[in-house]
Amino acid sequence: MNIKGLHLSLIVLLMLPLTSHARKWTLQECIDYALQNNISIRKTQVQKLSSHEDVLQSQAALLPSLSASTSQNVTARPWPQNGASSVHNGYVQSSVDKVYYNGSYGVSASWTLWDGNRNRNQVKLNRIYEQQAELDSAQIALDLQEQITQLYVQILYTAEAIEVNRYSARASKANEERGQVMVSVGSMSRAELSQLTAQRAQDEYSVVEQTTNLSNYKRQLKQLLQITDNEDFDVDIPIMTDAMALQEIPSLPSVYEAALDHRPEIKNLRLSLESSELTMEMAKASHLPTISATGSAITNTTSMSDNAWGTQLKNNFNLGAGINVSIPILDNRQTKTAINKAQLQKQSYLLDLEDKQTALYSTIESYWLQALNNQQKFKAAKVSTKSAQDSYELLSEQFKVGLKNTVELMNGKDVLLQAQQNELQSKYLAIYNISMLKFYKNGTLGM
């Protein structure tokens, strides 16, 4: 096959619709898969489970603690003192042995009755940490959905842009073929034909370039979904209508007010403010007494007693109970420092909340302005495309009969291509930004 034949075969392949047996993923399928398999989300879910364990532990700390203990000891006394039975270290000794064995057995319990509510506030604080871990997971999920949607819309736009470029390439090819006929009859110079050929080649290059971009965007989406198998990856290409770009744009205040109520980054900082209040209360409680109750049951045995082991356990059995009160007096400024740091932390959280609210408003305002601007651009671009299409069709007819030259035809076609690209770009940007406004307003994605 010669070079010309190979070139024509390449063009035919480019003009054919892309076919693939790969599974075609919808936007919702991409989102569902990512939410189930994304590693960052799964790690935050592990963190949430860890925070829940802290909650359970702090709740258990409100209950009494109970422990059992035993000790078994062997003692050697090389020079024992002979004599009658005696009591030594709580043991009734009826004999004097050089080597003897002692055993003790006990059960003790302790219960903090009151510590200025530090223990109960710790439960509340750990519950806040658990909620924050859940909100961290929700934040990552929302950010991931936003990234997926951006890539998905980019894929849809590029797929349609390829069709626009293919249409332009076909038109360039038709002009070149017409030019070849005109050269053969002597009504066009070969220099003018070369210009038409160059335009046709440029349009074919644009098709290849956009096709490469489409493959790259699909690769990025596959990477974002963390799919590592060798199976071909493709997305479903739904019909994106003009009505979707021209739909009503949600108002900026309504989106912002709704976002303040449900966005996890805002909720997280509000919980941080609550945690700083609890931390402050716990720090202040360090000035207060701590009251705890204790109880124990203890018995012991020895080999130097003639009594049976069971009798010794019974005779040496002791029960004890008590109330302990600890009153802080001086703590080297630890409590005052803890209170001051909790107050400063609260001020820091307030500033973080204000900063997050400002950033949230700026993000929503950016989406709103882009939606408004691109919707207006789309309306104007549709008129421009219609005008450029009519003009180009007239130029083509005039070119065929020799009333227009090659430069005029090429300029007209370039104007049409630019108008089509402007219309396509403004259409998809309008759809994307309106979708993002709805996403920030109600937390769900839909196109």
Side-chain angles (χ1 to χ4, degrees), residues 143-157:
D143 292 342
L144 185 61
Q145 292 179 66
E146 197 166 342
Q147 294 175 55
I148 289 173
T149 303
Q150 184 178 15
L151 267 176
Y152 198 90
V153 172
Q154 186 67 56
I155 289 171
L156 300 184
Y157 162 74

Side-chain angles (χ1 to χ4, degrees), residues 48-64:
K48 178 187 173 184
L49 294 176
S50 177
S51 299
H52 183 65
E53 290 298 321
D54 292 336
V55 173
L56 296 179
Q57 182 180 12
S58 58
Q59 288 175 332
L62 299 176
L63 304 175

Side-chain angles (χ1 to χ4, degrees), residues 28-139:
Q28 191 59 51
E29 286 174 339
C30 290
I31 291 173
D32 292 341
Y33 182 89
L35 295 181
Q36 292 178 5
N37 296 279
N38 182 264
I39 293 177
S40 296
I41 293 179
R42 288 157 64 187
K43 288 177 68 175
T44 57
Q45 290 170 347
V46 172
Q47 181 60 44
K48 178 187 173 184
L49 294 176
S50 177
S51 299
H52 183 65
E53 290 298 321
D54 292 336
V55 173
L56 296 179
Q57 182 180 12
S58 58
Q59 288 175 332
L62 299 176
L63 304 175
S65 62
L66 182 65
S67 62
S69 63
T70 181
S71 65
Q72 310 297 320
N73 301 294
V74 176
T75 304
R77 299 175 65 185
W79 302 281
Q81 180 181 359
N82 295 325
S85 298
S86 62
V87 177
H88 181 71
N89 291 333
Y91 298 99
V92 178
Q93 300 179 354
S94 57
S95 63
V96 179
D97 300 328
K98 289 185 177 182
V99 178
Y100 59 92
Y101 162 82
N102 296 326
S104 66
Y105 311 88
V107 176
S108 60
S110 178
W111 188 9
T112 300
L113 301 177
W114 193 73
D115 64 351
N117 280 333
R118 287 195 300 272
N119 50 5
R120 288 173 174 79
N121 284 333
Q122 186 63 55
V123 174
K124 296 177 183 178
L125 189 61
N126 287 339
R127 283 175 176 162
I128 288 178
Y129 292 155
E130 181 183 14
Q131 294 176 49
Q132 288 183 310
E134 185 174 1
L135 288 173
D136 288 340
S137 179
Q139 181 63 54

Side-chain angles (χ1 to χ4, degrees), residues 160-174:
E160 193 164 343
I162 290 174
E163 295 305 316
V164 170
N165 283 308
R166 282 177 175 163
Y167 169 81
S168 180
R170 287 193 293 269
S172 294
K173 181 63 177 175

Side-chain angles (χ1 to χ4, degrees), residues 33 76 101 147 154 158 164 180 202 222-223 237 255 258 266 279 323 357 369 375 393 430:
Y33 182 89
Y101 162 82
Q147 294 175 55
Q154 186 67 56
T158 307
V164 170
Q180 290 171 345
Q202 179 59 46
K222 183 178 180 181
Q223 180 182 12
I237 306 295
V255 176
I266 303 300
T279 302
I323 297 293
Q357 289 173 336
L369 289 173
Q375 194 175 77
E393 290 176 357

Side-chain angles (χ1 to χ4, degrees), residues 239-432:
I239 298 176
M240 309 298 284
T241 64
D242 292 353
M244 296 172 67
L246 297 173
Q247 61 183 301
E248 182 180 359
I249 300 174
S251 68
L252 176 58
S254 68
V255 176
Y256 179 64
E257 291 301 323
L260 286 177
D261 289 335
H262 74 81
R263 289 292 296 187
E265 64 267 37
I266 303 300
K267 287 184 176 181
N268 205 324
L269 282 171
R270 288 172 178 166
L271 286 176
S272 294
L273 287 173
E274 291 184 32
S275 71
S276 65
E277 292 285 354
L278 288 172
T279 302
M280 193 179 306
E281 291 298 321
M282 293 169 66
K284 291 178 179 178
S286 297
H287 283 310
L288 304 176
T290 298
I291 303 174
S292 60
T294 60
S296 62
I298 301 174
T299 187
N300 48 60
T301 61
T302 179
S303 63
M304 292 190 297
S305 173
D306 292 336
N307 292 330
W309 187 77
T311 301
Q312 290 186 59
L313 289 177
K314 178 180 178 182
N315 293 341
N316 297 331
F317 185 75
N318 294 298
L319 289 174
I323 297 293
N324 296 327
V325 179
S326 175
I327 303 175
I329 299 176
L330 295 175
D331 63 353
N332 304 106
R333 206 181 181 273
Q334 293 182 18
T335 299
K336 184 174 179 60
T337 299
I339 293 173
N340 290 343
K341 291 183 71 172
Q343 291 173 337
L344 293 172
Q345 185 62 66
K346 181 180 179 180
Q347 294 178 25
S348 178
Y349 285 143
L350 285 171
L351 293 173
D352 288 341
L353 178 59
E354 184 179 350
D355 184 55
K356 280 291 183 184
Q357 289 173 336
T358 302
L360 178 63
Y361 184 87
S362 178
T363 299
I364 293 173
E365 185 179 34
S366 176
Y367 281 131
W368 185 81
L369 289 173
Q370 291 185 59
L372 185 66
N373 292 337
N374 283 288
Q375 194 175 77
Q376 296 301 319
K377 286 181 179 179
F378 177 62
K379 293 176 182 178
K382 284 180 66 66
V383 176
S384 177
T385 300
K386 180 64 171 60
S387 176
Q389 181 70 47
D390 293 341
S391 176
Y392 177 68
E393 290 176 357
L394 180 59
L395 281 170
S396 296
E397 293 300 323
Q398 292 175 331
F399 175 74
K400 290 177 182 179
V401 297
L403 296 178
K404 294 293 181 180
N405 59 36
T406 304
V407 174
E408 291 173 311
L409 178 67
M410 292 173 59
N411 288 340
K413 184 182 160 303
D414 289 341
V415 170
L416 173 59
L417 179 60
Q418 186 62 52
Q420 291 172 327
Q421 290 174 340
N422 290 341
E423 178 184 346
L424 194 61
Q425 185 179 50
S426 59
K427 172 185 175 180
Y428 276 92
L429 283 174
I431 292 173
Y432 170 71

